[in-house]
Amino acid sequence: MKDMQAHLEKLRVEAEECELISKLATNPAKKELFAKLAAHHRALADDVERAIGAANP
């Protein structure tokens, strides 16, 4: 379970980093790419969080 929690935290941090890069990017293509990556990492983190909740009813 600790592995899943660590993975969840890593995904959340990566989402935040991608969002920050997106906000700082001046190139519109890179801005959009990093915004999409942030959303993807958040979705993955939500999935992991649900899996953790299902494993610990």
Side-chain angles (χ1 to χ4, degrees), residues 33-44:
L33 172 65
F34 280 96
K36 286 181 181 179
L37 286 170
H40 182 68
H41 279 88
R42 280 198 182 84
L44 291 173

Side-chain angles (χ1 to χ4, degrees), residues 27-55:
N27 180 313
K30 287 185 180 181
K31 184 179 282 285
E32 183 180 346
L33 172 65
F34 280 96
K36 286 181 181 179
L37 286 170
H40 182 68
H41 279 88
R42 280 198 182 84
L44 291 173
D46 291 344
D47 289 345
V48 171
E49 192 168 39
R50 279 192 290 276
I52 291 170

Side-chain angles (χ1 to χ4, degrees), residues 6-51:
H7 190 66
L8 173 61
E9 182 60 28
K10 184 174 187 262
L11 287 169
R12 298 261 186 234
V13 168
E14 288 175 356
E16 290 175 20
E17 290 174 350
C18 287
E19 185 174 342
L20 177 62
I21 292 169
S22 174
K23 288 179 180 178
L24 295 174
T26 56
N27 180 313
K30 287 185 180 181
K31 184 179 282 285
E32 183 180 346
L33 172 65
F34 280 96
K36 286 181 181 179
L37 286 170
H40 182 68
H41 279 88
R42 280 198 182 84
L44 291 173
D46 291 344
D47 289 345
V48 171
E49 192 168 39
R50 279 192 290 276

